[in-house]
Amino acid sequence: MDYEVADLSSNLLDVYRKKASFNSKDMLNFIDGEEIILFKQHVFTTLENDPLFARQPGEDIPIEKKRELTFLRVKQLFRYNFLTEEEAMANPWKSIILTDCLGMYDLGMSAKYFLSIGMFGRTVASSGSSQHNKYVENTNDMTEFVIHSPDFEAAKFWVGNLGKTATHAIVYAQLYTPDKVCHGLHSFVVPVRDPKTLLSLPGVLVGDMGKKLGQNGLENGFALFHNVRIPRENLLNRTGDVTPEGRYITPFKDSNKRFGASLGALSGGRVSITRIAVVNLKLAMTVAIRFSATRRQFGPTGKGEIPVLEYQLQQWRLIPYLAAIYALDHFAKSIFMNFVEFQIGQMMGDKSDRQAEMGREIHAIGCASKPLGSWTAQRGIQECREACGGHGYLAMNRLGDLRDDNDPNCTYEGDNNVLLQQTSNYLLSWFHAKHIKGSRIESPLHTVDFLDDYQKILESRFTPTTMEQCMDSAVPVAAYKWLVCFLLGESQKRLEQQRALGKGDFEAHNNSQVYYCRSLAIAYIEHDCLQKFHDLTTDQDTPAGLRPVLSKLCALYGLWSLSNHMVTLYQGNYLSGRKPAELVQMAILTLCSQLKDDAVALVDVIAPPDFILNSPIGNTDGQLYKNMWSTMMQGNKVLERPSWWKEFCSDKPVVGSLRPKL
């Protein structure tokens, strides 16, 4: 039997699209450009036209089948070869766009693919079978390294692809030379399984971690090594090497420079995760905004029901996260290009002070950008789920999967709270250099340059007297500069107080995280993200037709983020009295209201095609109920009795009372 459901929301998305204050195609061209737009369309169309990638919203697939499908799909991606090595070198940003496209389809599949081609293959500059054979052959004529896990606590856990299929791994380990000197963390290519049988090699204990909360198409594993011998050439030796005689050599005379270069090289994963988290939030926001524009509920007396997007509360819940998407999208691209600049320097053999210092700065940025991106996405996706009511709880609408798939971004490549300590240590080192050594604060990427005016900035105060003045993004930018300076000084004082109490360095730092160093790192990265977005909105190269909406998004993101630090702003007397808080709050609500009519067009810019989005309530056509009903009625299984019911009843009805037999 066919069912027809009248859809009252069929034209509402188009109504909002016509209200937009900007041209969405112009915005897409500005953000992506023609080359990237065509590349994305090619990837999306290819996946949609391949039966191997066919799927249904909310489908429930057993883990083993899901892993098999993921494996087959990744093999197909290798055949498609969407981006050659030459194309990636010519335009590195394309590799991130490919990550976006594949991650929008399935984050687990994307992770499996890029762990193979990126984290391993490109790290060692080759991924061919001949290279694999080279690593596993016996080499009796040269010095060897011995890879050894001294105890269970030294095991490697949560390694992507390692659970069932990886044959080689890049292992980070402390490097000891024959003279028993430890030269710190280095990376080694270590064979772990026989490529023909997938059985573990002698001395290697490797296995699967088991079912996870999300991304179950990707298997994660553990590994322990018992005196596994590998050739000397398996050391990835760009920052340090060992001669055949067992002597350690490095192109860096200063160990701190080598460490800085190594830190920078480790930052690629964290920079990428920042972007991945933003992509997850884009998908969730597309679903939530389109749902909110088509879901009617209540309204003024006698005027019918209105879309829930018209409610101030719904705007306040969602639109700041939409602003965050635009801010973080630009920020993620900026820091990725910084990382590319650093990598080019590494490949060119740059041993300059600037290169090493850039490595330290990128490390500090990556250690804070990952928490900023993943936590914003975590909170935003949950808000989207709740903002869609009961329909957001349905698996078919994907918000649950997005939430679960995003969650590990807060953990892998380093727990967010732990990583933030790296960033605060970096900032404190600059403070020490300025006030103890008299050094000028100036970094290669200029994220800390403003700290050189530390004293002057601390003397500044909040000056807007009207809501309109407050809606200029320069206002939160100035407030953030003060906030970072204040928290830097307070963190340094806290550390000194702890040391004065006789605490050692470890304990002093441990007792200075909450309200001090942790807040400092968060304020620093939020400022950097906001500053870059502010610079974009005020750049004369930004199209005039887009500048107004981008400026509103920037101001909203800045004020909304700043509102989380109101206690500190009052504590340090940057704000005084009730007026500043009222201005900030009213400005946030006003900006949300002003951006309400632009919201649908703004998500159209960032949204993938419906096949990729895979969420009936988030489809482009706005046919909310029709799309949901169509998905629910596939196969008419929703009308069937449960399969287990036959065990509790006979084929014939039972008449009369139930009496025990005597």
Side-chain angles (χ1 to χ4, degrees):
M1 184 182 295
D2 294 329
Y3 290 84
E4 290 292 334
V5 177
D7 197 332
L8 302 176
S9 59
S10 59
N11 296 315
L12 277 176
L13 286 186
D14 286 338
V15 169
Y16 278 103
R17 286 172 179 134
K18 291 174 183 177
K19 289 181 179 181
S21 67
F22 69 98
N23 186 298
S24 59
K25 291 183 179 179
D26 290 346
M27 182 71 82
L28 184 59
N29 279 317
F30 173 64
I31 291 175
D32 281 343
E34 184 179 359
E35 180 185 2
I36 296 298
I37 292 172
L38 292 174
F39 179 64
K40 288 165 71 172
Q41 289 175 349
H42 170 60
V43 174
F44 289 146
T45 302
T46 301
L47 298 185
E48 186 169 4
N49 291 337
D50 188 336
L52 181 59
F53 293 87
R55 59 181 179 176
Q56 295 298 325
E59 60 187 8
D60 189 13
I61 302 176
I63 282 187
E64 284 305 309
K65 182 62 178 177
K66 190 177 185 69
R67 287 181 174 179
E68 179 189 358
L69 265 176
T70 301
F71 177 78
L72 293 173
R73 287 166 176 169
V74 168
K75 281 189 68 176
Q76 190 77 317
L77 294 177
F78 276 103
R79 294 189 188 102
Y80 285 135
N81 194 22
F82 287 118
L83 190 64
T84 66
E85 193 75 28
E86 293 75 20
E87 290 171 328
M89 290 295 288
N91 185 356
W93 183 240
K94 263 191 169 181
S95 64
I96 297 298
I97 294 300
L98 181 57
T99 307
D100 289 359
C101 293
L102 299 182
M104 283 182 164
Y105 174 82
D106 178 3
L107 192 56
M109 180 195 74
S110 177
K112 187 173 184 66
Y113 176 71
F114 282 102
L115 281 169
S116 300
I117 200 172
M119 291 293 282
F120 184 88
R122 287 177 184 161
T123 303
V124 296
S126 174
S127 58
S129 60
S130 62
Q131 184 72 22
H132 290 171
N133 292 337
K134 173 183 173 184
Y135 285 135
V136 297
E137 67 186 7
N138 291 324
T139 51
N140 298 320
D141 58 345
M142 60 175 65
T143 305
E144 292 180 312
F145 288 111
V146 177
I147 305 297
H148 183 66
S149 308
D151 51 44
F152 187 74
E153 291 184 3
K156 304 294 184 181
F157 284 100
W158 291 108
V159 185
N161 279 346
L162 189 62
K164 298 289 186 181
T165 57
T167 58
H168 291 71
I170 294 177
V171 177
Y172 288 90
Q174 300 292 338
L175 171 58
Y176 287 84
T177 43
D179 56 7
K180 298 185 179 180
V181 174
C182 179
H183 300 277
L185 200 65
H186 288 68
S187 51
F188 304 83
V189 176
V190 183
V192 293
R193 287 188 178 94
D194 185 319
K196 295 180 180 179
T197 66
L198 290 186
L199 295 176
S200 59
L201 294 173
V204 179
L205 178 63
V206 61
D208 186 65
M209 295 294 295
K211 186 178 180 180
K212 310 183 294 286
L213 296 179
Q215 294 192 37
N216 280 300
L218 168 70
E219 82 271 13
N220 291 80
F222 62 86
L224 279 150
F225 303 95
H226 182 69
N227 296 322
V228 176
R229 295 181 177 275
I230 61 171
R232 181 177 60 88
E233 64 183 17
N234 284 28
L235 167 66
L236 299 183
N237 59 356
R238 192 171 298 279
T239 60
D241 204 351
V242 175
T243 67
E245 297 76 29
R247 183 170 57 88
Y248 183 78
I249 56 175
T250 176
F252 295 94
K253 295 180 180 179
D254 185 344
S255 60
N256 288 329
K257 290 183 183 179
R258 185 190 70 78
F259 187 57
S262 299
L263 288 177
L266 287 169
S267 300
R270 292 165 190 152
V271 170
S272 297
I273 290 170
T274 306
R275 178 76 184 185
I276 291 168
V278 177
V279 168
N280 289 331
L281 185 54
K282 284 181 180 181
L283 295 171
M285 187 56 60
T286 299
V287 173
I289 290 293
R290 287 177 176 171
F291 172 85
S292 299
T294 53
R295 173 73 167 99
R296 289 188 176 101
Q297 195 166 29
F298 310 119
T301 303
K303 293 187 178 181
E305 294 188 316
I306 62 174
V308 294
L309 187 57
E310 295 297 319
Y311 287 92
Q312 183 189 75
L313 189 59
Q314 193 81 343
Q315 296 165 19
W316 174 78
R317 294 171 71 183
L318 295 178
I319 294 179
Y321 283 107
L322 180 56
I325 287 172
Y326 275 78
L328 286 164
D329 186 80
H330 178 65
F331 182 57
K333 182 174 183 178
S334 298
I335 61 176
F336 173 78
M337 297 314 295
N338 292 152
F339 180 71
V340 169
E341 180 187 353
F342 171 78
Q343 286 291 80
I344 291 173
Q346 291 292 91
M347 289 188 289
M348 297 298 291
D350 187 347
K351 306 298 186 299
S352 66
D353 291 350
R354 184 183 185 278
Q355 177 72 4
E357 190 53 51
M358 189 189 298
R360 289 183 66 236
E361 187 172 12
I362 287 175
H363 176 66
I365 293 170
C367 285
S369 69
K370 185 182 92 75
L372 176 62
S374 59
W375 275 336
T376 302
Q378 181 193 56
R379 292 189 293 265
I381 294 170
Q382 180 63 25
E383 197 66 71
C384 289
R385 207 295 296 154
E386 294 180 30
C388 292
H391 296 327
Y393 194 62
L394 279 173
M396 76 166 78
N397 291 318
R398 202 183 174 186
L399 291 168
D401 283 344
L402 289 173
R403 180 180 58 193
D404 290 345
D405 285 351
N406 178 77
D407 213 37
N409 288 326
C410 302
T411 302
Y412 50 40
E413 292 281 333
D415 174 84
N416 283 352
N417 283 288
V418 175
L419 286 180
L420 289 170
Q421 297 179 44
Q422 296 284 304
T423 304
S424 61
N425 288 343
Y426 170 76
L427 297 170
L428 287 163
S429 71
W430 275 113
F431 190 83
H432 182 269
K434 171 76 173 179
H435 293 276
I436 304 301
K437 300 180 181 178
S439 304
R440 178 178 177 80
I441 299 181
E442 187 175 19
S443 62
L445 303 176
H446 309 295
T447 65
V448 295
D449 290 9
F450 70 96
L451 294 176
D452 202 57
D453 293 326
Y454 171 83
Q455 291 294 346
K456 183 178 179 181
I457 290 173
L458 282 181
E459 293 170 2
S460 64
R461 294 293 181 268
F462 184 84
T463 58
T465 56
T466 66
M467 184 187 69
E468 289 72 21
Q469 291 174 346
C470 205
M471 290 165 61
D472 183 342
S473 58
V475 170
V477 168
Y480 262 108
K481 283 181 167 56
W482 180 92
L483 182 65
V484 175
C485 289
F486 177 76
L487 286 168
L488 182 58
E490 292 298 297
S491 297
Q492 180 63 33
K493 289 176 188 175
R494 174 71 174 181
L495 284 166
E496 291 172 355
Q497 289 168 357
Q498 290 295 302
R499 289 175 181 134
L501 293 172
K503 307 291 186 184
D505 196 55
F506 174 85
E507 200 170 356
H509 276 85
N510 183 48
N511 293 342
S512 302
Q513 295 304 314
V514 182
Y515 302 127
Y516 297 95
C517 295
R518 180 184 183 276
S519 300
L520 166 63
I522 291 173
Y524 158 78
I525 203 66
E526 288 177 347
H527 165 263
D528 193 33
C529 179
L530 176 61
Q531 181 71 66
K532 285 179 169 61
F533 196 23
H534 172 78
D535 292 343
L536 178 73
T537 62
T538 56
D539 192 322
Q540 291 305 304
D541 290 336
T542 299
L546 302 178
R547 241 178 275 153
V549 67
L550 288 172
S551 296
K552 290 175 184 176
L553 289 167
C554 185
L556 176 57
Y557 174 70
L559 293 170
W560 174 71
S561 300
L562 191 68
S563 66
N564 294 318
H565 302 281
M566 298 299 277
V567 170
T568 307
L569 293 168
Y570 274 105
Q571 181 184 17
N573 293 319
Y574 184 76
L575 304 179
S576 59
R578 62 182 297 164
K579 187 70 172 178
E582 291 175 351
L583 292 177
V584 170
Q585 291 169 352
M586 291 309 299
I588 289 172
L589 294 176
T590 301
L591 286 164
C592 286
S593 177
Q594 291 179 355
L595 286 164
K596 174 255 301 180
D597 288 343
D598 287 322
V600 171
L602 286 168
V603 298
D604 284 347
V605 172
I606 61 176
D610 291 345
F611 168 76
I612 299 294
L613 184 63
N614 201 33
S615 174
I617 64 172
N619 279 3
T620 312
D621 61 9
Q623 302 281 340
L624 171 62
Y625 299 106
K626 182 178 180 180
N627 293 331
M628 277 191 59
W629 189 260
S630 174
T631 302
M632 290 171 62
M633 296 303 296
Q634 286 174 357
N636 284 341
K637 290 185 178 181
V638 294
L639 304 180
E640 294 178 358
R641 290 187 302 173
S643 59
W644 46 263
W645 179 248
K646 60 185 179 182
E647 300 177 13
F648 296 90
C649 65
S650 65
D651 292 335
K652 298 178 181 179
V654 177
V655 180
S657 61
L658 295 176
R659 295 179 181 177
K661 292 182 179 181
L662 300 176

